[in-house]
Amino acid sequence: MKKALLSAFLIFLIGNTYSQDGKIVQREELKVIDLEDIKNIIFEENGESSQLKEPYQYLNNVIIEKIVYLSDGLKVVGYIVSPKQIGKYPGIIYNRGGNKEFGKITQQKVAFILAQMASWGYVVSASQYRGNDGGEGCEEFGGSDVNDVLSLIPLMQNNEMVIHEKLGIYGWSRGGMMTYLALMRTAVFKAAVIGGGLSDLHMMKNTRPVMEEVYIDIIPGYLQDKDGLLNARSAIKNVVKIDKTTPILMLHGTSDWRVVPQMALDLAESFTEQKIPYRLIIYEGGDHGLTEFRKEVNQEVKMWFEKYVKEGNTLPDLNPHGR
């Protein structure tokens, strides 16, 4: 009887803890003037005063917060960037690339990616993934850490400034993998954008053998079940599971050596077969971050989210039609 009561209590305790997923337990507003590592880039010095350079004046119109939120009961570090103007806005979840501390969200990325999207009229949230930047737990490169992305959904929906039914998701590189994995588990997003997206972990291992060291390091049980674990994390192996109601914008460069463009081409072919709405833009000579095309990329991302998240346009007709 005592064991049964203890088991029931533990189940209740665990369930109650997980039911708090997305709850913010700590938040701190960051002042733009305090972002020292980008100060020389975005500020002009005028004696003792600093003034934002013209392209970055949008930083005056947003509020940047570093947060700690719950995911699977773990305290995970992330960010929320919101328009200063009080109102109701669509939301975007941004998924970072890299692994562990490499590729984490820095203050530069907050200013140049998250804050810029917020200036378009969105509340933007992002996760460092569990175990990173002082957070609890250990990331698994597309394992249980996908819950850190999914936990941002209730976090956003509990935000009074967010229009609950208007959410988008955006991922780059490994963040593209996280985005695809999220789209296998939810249909809540009205649009997705994926840049330089990792969609085939077998191909990644073949084209960048050093990545297997990452797999060994942070994917639990990798050496015991390589194929199974890589398949589970590869969108190309799970296209039938990807939500067909979320239109996907894929962006890739032909000179991307980190995530070869063949991944995007293979996935586009499968999306066509499965009638998943997508648009693929391949940039000639573009690197992994499409740095040569940053202005064009921002325009495409902005238009995609405006079309499907803000304006709620209907999905395209994917059946053969026309003259």
Side-chain angles (χ1 to χ4, degrees):
M1 175 65 75
K2 289 183 178 180
K3 287 184 178 180
L5 290 173
L6 179 60
S7 297
F9 174 74
L10 289 174
I11 291 171
F12 168 77
L13 183 61
I14 293 171
N16 189 55
T17 300
Y18 289 178
S19 69
Q20 298 297 305
D21 284 355
K23 179 181 179 181
I24 298 174
V25 295
Q26 184 178 328
R27 62 198 309 164
E28 172 192 6
E29 183 177 347
L30 302 180
K31 301 295 183 181
V32 171
I33 198 69
D34 294 333
L35 304 182
E36 293 297 333
D37 54 350
I38 60 172
K39 186 174 181 180
N40 293 332
I41 303 174
I42 65 174
F43 288 100
E44 293 176 336
E45 300 292 344
N46 298 316
E48 296 182 356
S49 64
S50 298
Q51 185 174 3
L52 282 168
K53 293 180 182 178
E54 181 65 31
Y56 309 111
Q57 289 183 355
Y58 62 80
L59 289 168
N60 288 323
N61 303 319
V62 301
I63 296 174
I64 300 170
E65 295 179 284
K66 189 170 186 178
I67 63 169
V68 176
Y69 69 100
L70 297 180
S71 177
D72 292 343
L74 299 170
K75 293 180 179 178
V76 178
V77 178
Y79 287 89
I80 295 179
V81 186
S82 311
K84 274 187 179 177
Q85 181 67 42
I86 299 299
K88 300 285 283 187
Y89 299 92
I92 297 174
I93 292 174
Y94 178 80
N95 297 321
R96 52 157 282 204
N99 62 90
K100 291 189 172 179
E101 299 301 301
F102 172 74
K104 75 177 182 179
I105 300 170
T106 60
Q107 292 185 340
Q108 293 101 319
K109 291 181 180 178
V110 171
F112 301 146
I113 301 175
L114 307 187
Q116 186 172 48
M117 287 194 293
S119 74
W120 298 341
Y122 297 90
V123 176
V124 182
S125 65
S127 177
Q128 296 283 34
Y129 311 136
R130 60 189 60 188
N132 299 323
D133 201 17
E136 295 178 343
C138 298
E139 69 161 297
E140 298 181 357
F141 205 70
S144 62
D145 48 2
V146 177
N147 290 336
D148 304 340
V149 175
L150 297 174
S151 291
L152 291 175
I153 297 173
L155 183 151
M156 295 286 271
Q157 292 178 335
N158 288 327
N159 188 318
E160 293 182 354
M161 291 182 67
V162 176
I163 303 172
H164 297 176
E165 67 274 14
K166 291 190 175 185
L167 293 181
I169 188 167
Y170 183 9
W172 205 279
S173 191
R174 177 267 180 90
M177 174 188 70
M178 301 295 277
T179 300
Y180 288 129
L181 293 172
L183 293 177
M184 294 178 200
R185 295 171 55 181
T186 180
V188 72
F189 297 110
K190 300 302 182 183
V193 176
I194 295 170
L198 173 56
S199 57
D200 187 337
L201 277 71
H202 296 281
M203 187 178 293
M204 173 68 94
K205 183 178 67 171
N206 293 334
T207 56
R208 287 181 63 194
V210 69
M211 282 301 296
E212 187 161 36
E213 296 178 13
V214 175
Y215 299 167
I216 293 171
D217 184 31
I218 61 177
I219 297 179
Y222 172 72
L223 293 176
Q224 289 72 46
D225 185 18
K226 292 184 180 183
D227 286 345
L229 291 167
L230 296 188
N231 287 344
R233 288 162 167 78
S234 298
I236 194 65
K237 302 290 186 180
N238 298 278
V239 173
V240 295
K241 298 179 182 178
I242 294 176
D243 174 52
K244 294 184 177 182
T245 66
T246 303
I248 301 171
L249 173 63
M250 293 190 289
L251 310 167
H252 222 110
T254 61
S255 298
D256 186 349
W257 61 269
R258 291 184 179 273
V259 178
V260 294
Q262 190 61 45
M263 291 194 201
L265 296 171
D266 290 347
L267 204 55
E269 183 178 358
S270 292
F271 282 175
T272 300
E273 293 174 355
Q274 294 297 323
K275 293 186 178 180
I276 293 174
Y278 77 93
R279 179 178 296 179
L280 171 62
I281 302 177
I282 298 287
Y283 293 86
E284 68 284 5
D287 63 10
H288 183 55
L290 292 175
T291 53
E292 304 96 333
F293 299 93
R294 183 48 51 189
K295 183 177 180 180
E296 293 95 320
V297 166
N298 285 338
Q299 289 174 341
E300 294 292 346
V301 172
K302 185 178 181 181
M303 287 191 299
W304 195 258
F305 282 134
E306 281 183 354
K307 180 177 182 178
Y308 290 111
V309 179
K310 271 191 178 180
E311 299 173 4
N313 284 15
T314 57
L315 294 177
D317 180 3
L318 299 183
N319 294 309
H321 61 279
R323 293 185 180 181

